[in-house]
Amino acid sequence: MNSKNPVIRTATLILFWLVVVVVLFYVLFPFYWAVKTSLTGSARLSAEALQWFPSAPSFQNFRDVFTGAPFGRNLLNSVVVATGTVVLSLLLSVLAAYALGKFRFKGKTILMYLILAVSVFPQIAVLSGLYTMIQTFGLYNSWGGLILSYMIFTLPFTVWTLTAFVREIPTELEEAAYVDGASPLQTLFRVLLPVMTPALVTTGLLAFINAWNEFLFALTFTTDASAATVPPAIANFTGASQYESPFGLTMAASVIVTIPLIILVLVFQRNIVSGLTAGAVKG
């Protein structure tokens, strides 16, 4: 119930904006501090560590990121591996979600719970088995090995999410397609897939972020820049000497790899909102 008391309404409004400011500060301050640190030269970093603004902003750290290490190759590896992981995960999860969401068969409930269990399994628990499998298949230090390992955690997530969305699609669409003589696969790709676009964008973007930021598998299954992605590359940054901390380089690289994710979210923000709210209210 909305209060008619202007004092209560004003206090509520002030409290609301205070909470918004606190949340925004909590979320955005680490990124701002990373940008500020990346714009501070190595010689000034210790003296200006606690200053809010760099006294002499410089892009030297950003230049050093690409000149001191094959960071461009690492970025390419991350783009290829994350994109390949998302494409394969969405392709397989669309087929699985259609079967799990629209068909009845024995053991479906058990299968759904198994998928959920796999999605919450700790990565370290499957690391040794994955290592043996990747070595056996000759995929060590390759894009294929990383894509295969990343699908361990992206595929269960995409299947579970898309299955929940497919369940909410009206059955009238399928029935109309069947009346027109469409097969199940034609119904899926020509009728249901366009309706699933918001969910596919949202799920794919979240899976892309997970694959982009993954560290443990990338560190374990790669040894050089030919296949190493950005997270282990940043972890291996070194200073000019053993006594110098590469903090400025690390922050510059972190800013560089964060910008593409921000751009993706801004570009697909409408699809993300539609995908997150889809199925919340049944029509």
Side-chain angles (χ1 to χ4, degrees):
M1 181 181 296
N2 295 327
S3 175
K4 297 182 179 180
N5 190 322
V7 177
I8 296 179
R9 284 189 299 177
T10 302
T12 303
L13 186 62
I14 293 174
L15 180 62
F16 169 76
W17 284 109
L18 181 62
V19 172
V20 170
V21 170
V22 171
V23 172
L24 287 177
F25 179 82
Y26 178 79
V27 172
L28 297 178
F29 179 75
F31 183 71
Y32 163 76
W33 203 255
V35 173
K36 174 259 177 187
T37 305
S38 66
L39 294 174
T40 304
S42 300
R44 299 174 178 267
L45 195 57
S46 298
E48 301 180 7
L50 299 180
Q51 293 185 12
W52 285 87
F53 304 99
S55 59
S58 171
F59 289 95
Q60 185 61 43
N61 286 323
F62 292 90
R63 290 191 290 267
D64 291 342
V65 165
F66 290 97
T67 57
F71 195 69
R73 174 69 186 192
N74 300 135
L75 282 173
L76 175 63
N77 294 337
S78 288
V79 171
V80 172
V81 171
T83 303
T85 301
V86 170
V87 170
L88 287 177
S89 295
L90 288 181
L91 179 61
L92 295 175
S93 62
V94 163
L95 298 172
Y98 182 46
L100 293 170
K102 291 298 184 181
F103 295 96
R104 295 181 179 179
F105 54 89
K106 188 176 181 180
K108 186 174 75 170
T109 302
I110 297 176
L111 181 59
M112 288 296 296
Y113 282 117
L114 286 176
I115 294 173
L116 181 62
V118 172
S119 66
V120 299
F121 228 69
Q123 288 181 274
I124 193 67
V126 298
L127 189 61
S128 60
L130 269 178
Y131 183 86
T132 302
M133 183 174 65
I134 288 176
Q135 286 279 30
T136 302
F137 292 159
L139 296 176
Y140 189 81
N141 214 46
S142 68
W143 290 342
L146 291 180
I147 292 174
L148 178 63
S149 63
Y150 286 5
M151 289 180 65
I152 291 293
F153 58 85
T154 59
L155 191 56
F157 164 74
T158 53
V159 169
W160 185 269
T161 305
L162 291 180
T163 299
F165 182 84
V166 169
R167 285 174 176 170
E168 302 299 330
I169 298 178
T171 56
E172 289 78 8
L173 293 176
E174 296 173 83
E175 294 171 353
Y178 291 149
V179 170
D180 293 336
S183 65
L185 283 180
Q186 289 175 328
T187 302
L188 171 61
F189 287 105
R190 295 184 180 181
V191 179
L192 300 185
L193 202 60
V195 181
M196 296 170 62
T197 300
L200 289 173
V201 172
T202 304
T203 307
L205 183 57
L206 294 176
F208 183 90
I209 292 174
N210 287 334
W212 183 268
N213 293 328
E214 202 283 326
F215 176 77
L216 181 60
F217 289 166
L219 181 66
T220 305
F221 302 140
T222 59
T223 56
D224 56 55
S226 62
T229 55
V230 165
I234 295 177
N236 290 327
F237 279 166
T238 58
S241 67
Q242 60 177 335
Y243 303 105
E244 181 181 347
S245 174
F247 200 59
L249 293 178
T250 302
M251 291 298 102
S254 300
V255 172
I256 292 172
V257 300
T258 304
I259 290 176
L261 301 182
I262 296 176
I263 294 175
L264 285 175
V265 171
L266 292 177
V267 170
F268 295 107
Q269 58 179 331
R270 292 187 178 181
N271 300 88
I272 294 172
V273 174
S274 300
L276 291 175
T277 57
V281 180
K282 295 185 68 173

